[in-house]
C-alpha cells in the first residue's frame, strides 16, 4: 500500500493519488489541486507535467515494496497503519535512521521511475539520453553508442526539483538531513548504471559492439541503501546552520552516507507518536538468533505457536512429453507469532 508516500506528499496523500489514473480525462490543474500535501513548487511541477506525476505514483509502489522487502525481518518493517496516514509522517518527524532510509529510497524511486518512463517514451518532456553518440571505449575495446541509453540525468534533475521542494521551506537540522539523504538516494541509482552491449561481426566474433547505458534492477539500489542504513551516521547541525557535525567523536565523511539526527525507538511496542506499530502478531523464527528470531522480534514478551497445514508440490515426475506432474503433499508446520504486550493489571481495571 502506498501510504508511506505520505512522507513526501503530506498526510492523507494516498487518497489524492487514486485519481491519478484518470489524469487524461481531467484537467491537470484540477488533479494537482486535489493532491494534498504538495508545496507550491510541486503543484506547479505537477500542473506542467501531469504525466510525470503518473510515473511517480507508479514508482511509489515499487520503492515501498523494496523498502518492505529490505526490512521484512525487522521490528520496523516499513509499514504504517492502514487508516492513519499521519503515523508515518510522525516517524519522519523523529529524524531517525529509518526516516533517513525512507527519504533515500523514495528519492531513488522517483529517479528510477522517471528515468524508465523517459526511456519507454511515455513522457512528453524526455526520452533516451541523446548525448550518447558516436564511439567510446571500455576495458574490452571500442564500441558504438546505440540503442537507448537511460536518461538518468533527467531523472535525477526532476527528482531533485520535485522531491527536494518539500524541504526548501525551513532550513533546520531535519530539512538538512532530508536533503542530504534525498541526494544519497538519487546517487545510489546512478551508481548502478551498467553498460549493456550487443555483439556484431563475423559469426559472433564481437569485433563490433553497440552499447548503451541502462539502470540495474531496483533491488541493487535497495540492497545498497540497506547497507548504508546499517552504517548511517548520527549528526548534529552546525551552529551557523550550514552543515553537519558528526556527532560521534571520529572522522568520517558523510558524503555518500545516510545521516540521522535522532536515535530510534526500539519499535517493540505500539507508540503512534514515535511511529512504532509494535511487534505484536509478527511472525518470528524460533531457531534464529538474528533480528527475525522470536527473542529479538518479540522483545522478550514470548510468542504463540500455531500449527498450520502446508500444502506443497512433491514427488514430481517428468511425463513424456512435455509435462511435469506432481502430487500435493501436506505437512504440518509451526508458525510463531509475537505475544502482545501485557499491560499491568491495575491499568486494565475500570
Ligand atoms: C580527525 O582528523 C583531524 C585532521 O585530519 C586529525 O587532526 C584528528 O586527530 C582526527 N581525529 C580522530 C579522532 O581521528
Ligand atoms: C509489519 O508489521 C505490522 C505490525 O506489526 C504488521 O501489521 C504488518 O503486516 C507488517 N507488514 C509487512 C509488510 O510485513
Ligand atoms: C529460521 O532460522 C534458521 C537459522 O537462522 C534458518 O536456518 C531457517 O531457514 C529459518 N527458517 C525460516 C522459515 O526462515
Amino acid at each position: 500500500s502506498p501510504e508511506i508516500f505520505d512522507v513526501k506528499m503530506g498526510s492523507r496523500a494516498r487518497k489524492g493519488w487514486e485519481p491519478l489514473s484518470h489524469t487524461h480525462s481531467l484537467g491537470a490543474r484540477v488533479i494537482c489541486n486535489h493532491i494534498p500535501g504538495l508545496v507550491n513548487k510541486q503543484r506547479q511541477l505537477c500542473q506542467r507535467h501531469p504525466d510525470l506525476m503518473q510515473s511517480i505514483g507508479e514508482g511509489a509502489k515499487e520503492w515501498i515494496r523494496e523498502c518492505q522487502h529490505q526490512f521484512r525481518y525487522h521490528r520496523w518493517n516499513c509499514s504504517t497503519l492502514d487508516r492513519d496516514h499521519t503515523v508515518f509522517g510522525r516517524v519522519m518527524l523523529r529524524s531517525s535512521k529509518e526516516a533517513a532510509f525512507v527519504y533515500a529510497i523514495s528519492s531513488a524511486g522517483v529517479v528510477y521511475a522517471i528515468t524508465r518512463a523517459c526511456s519507454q517514451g511515455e513522457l512528453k518532456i524526455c526520452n533516451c539520453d541523446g548525448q550518447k553518440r558516436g564511439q567510446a571505449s571500455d576495458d574490452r575495446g571500442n564500441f558504438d553508442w546505440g540503442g537507448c541509453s537511460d536518461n538518468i540525468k533527467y531523472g535525477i534533475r526532476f527528482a531533485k526539483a520535485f522531491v527536494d521542494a518539500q524541504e526548501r521551506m525551513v532550513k533546520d537540522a531535519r530539512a538538512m538531513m532530508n536533503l542530504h539523504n534525498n541526494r544519497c538516494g538519487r546517487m545510489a541509482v546512478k551508481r548502478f548504471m551498467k553498460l549493456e552491449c550487443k555483439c556484431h561481426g563475423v559469426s559472433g566474433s564481437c569485433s563490433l559492439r553497440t552499447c548503451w547505458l541502462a539502470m540495474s534492477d531496483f533491488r541493487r539500489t535497495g540492497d545498497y541503501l540497506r547497507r548504508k542504513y546499517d552504517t548511517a551516521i548520527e549528526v548534529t547541525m552546525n551552529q551557523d546552520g550550514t552543515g553537519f557535525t558528526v556527532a560521534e567523536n571520529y572522522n568520517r565523511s558523510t558524503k555518500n552516507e545516510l545521516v540521522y539526527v535522532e536515535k530510534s525507538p526500539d519499535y517493540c511496542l505500539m507508540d503512534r507518536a514515535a511511529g512504532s506499530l509494535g511487534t505484536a502478531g509478527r511472525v518470528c523464527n524460533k531457531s534464529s538468533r538474528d533480528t527475525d528470531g522470536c527473542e529479538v522480534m518479540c522483545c522478550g514478551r514470548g510468542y504463540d505457536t500455531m500449527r498450520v497445514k502446508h500444502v506443497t508440490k512433491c514427488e514430481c515426475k517428468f511425463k513424456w512429453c512435455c509435462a511435469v506432474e506432481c502430487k500435493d503433499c501436506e505437512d504440518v508446520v509451526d508458525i510463531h507469532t509475537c505475544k502482545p504486550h501485557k499491560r499491568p493489571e491495575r491499568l486494565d481495571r475500570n
Side-chain angles (χ1 to χ4, degrees), residues 73 285 287-289 292:
Y73 297 137
N285 180 338
S287 50
S288 169
R289 298 269 151 261
D292 63 332

Side-chain angles (χ1 to χ4, degrees), residues 68 72 75 77-79 277-282:
Q68 294 187 342
R72 67 201 181 285
R75 286 180 190 158
N77 67 359
C78 204
S79 286
L277 297 181
T279 61
R282 286 285 298 278

Side-chain angles (χ1 to χ4, degrees), residues 48-203:
R48 231 176 298 148
H49 311 289
D51 51 346
L52 269 77
M53 301 305 290
Q54 176 91 30
S55 302
I56 292 175
E58 282 158 14
K61 288 189 205 123
E62 198 162 344
W63 70 254
I64 288 167
R65 208 181 320 119
E66 183 59 29
C67 182
Q68 294 187 342
H69 168 81
Q70 293 295 338
F71 286 92
R72 67 201 181 285
Y73 297 137
H74 285 255
R75 286 180 190 158
W76 180 77
N77 67 359
C78 204
S79 286
T80 182
L81 292 175
D82 271 346
R83 273 177 301 278
D84 188 354
H85 298 288
T86 61
V87 167
F88 216 89
R90 291 213 198 103
V91 178
M92 296 302 102
L93 286 173
R94 297 288 293 236
S95 319
S96 64
K97 231 169 142 171
E98 290 72 36
F101 182 83
V102 168
Y103 273 75
I105 199 158
S106 57
S107 294
V110 172
V111 172
Y112 200 85
I114 297 292
T115 304
R116 187 176 48 195
C118 290
S119 292
Q120 290 174 349
E122 287 169 6
L123 305 177
K124 273 185 233 118
I125 192 136
C126 60
N127 44 41
C128 307
D129 187 348
Q131 289 177 339
K132 296 272 181 288
R133 286 177 194 282
Q135 274 218 331
S137 64
D138 65 357
D139 51 2
R140 290 173 53 201
N142 292 341
F143 61 82
D144 288 320
W145 284 117
C148 168
S149 279
D150 276 334
N151 197 346
I152 185 112
K153 256 186 252 155
Y154 186 81
I156 287 177
R157 189 146 36 99
F158 187 85
K160 185 166 159 48
F162 186 82
V163 181
D164 283 4
Q166 198 84 40
E167 309 297 333
R168 295 269 181 234
M169 312 275 101
V170 265
K171 275 267 187 292
D172 58 3
R174 197 161 66 91
M176 303 274 290
M177 164 185 157
N178 295 343
L179 289 171
H180 179 96
N181 294 325
N182 285 350
R183 179 184 170 278
C184 202
R186 290 193 301 270
M187 292 304 132
V189 182
K190 193 174 176 190
R191 177 177 292 263
F192 297 113
M193 294 290 282
K194 58 177 194 286
L195 197 65
E196 290 184 342
C197 298
K198 227 186 202 162
C199 280
H200 314 283
V202 194
S203 55

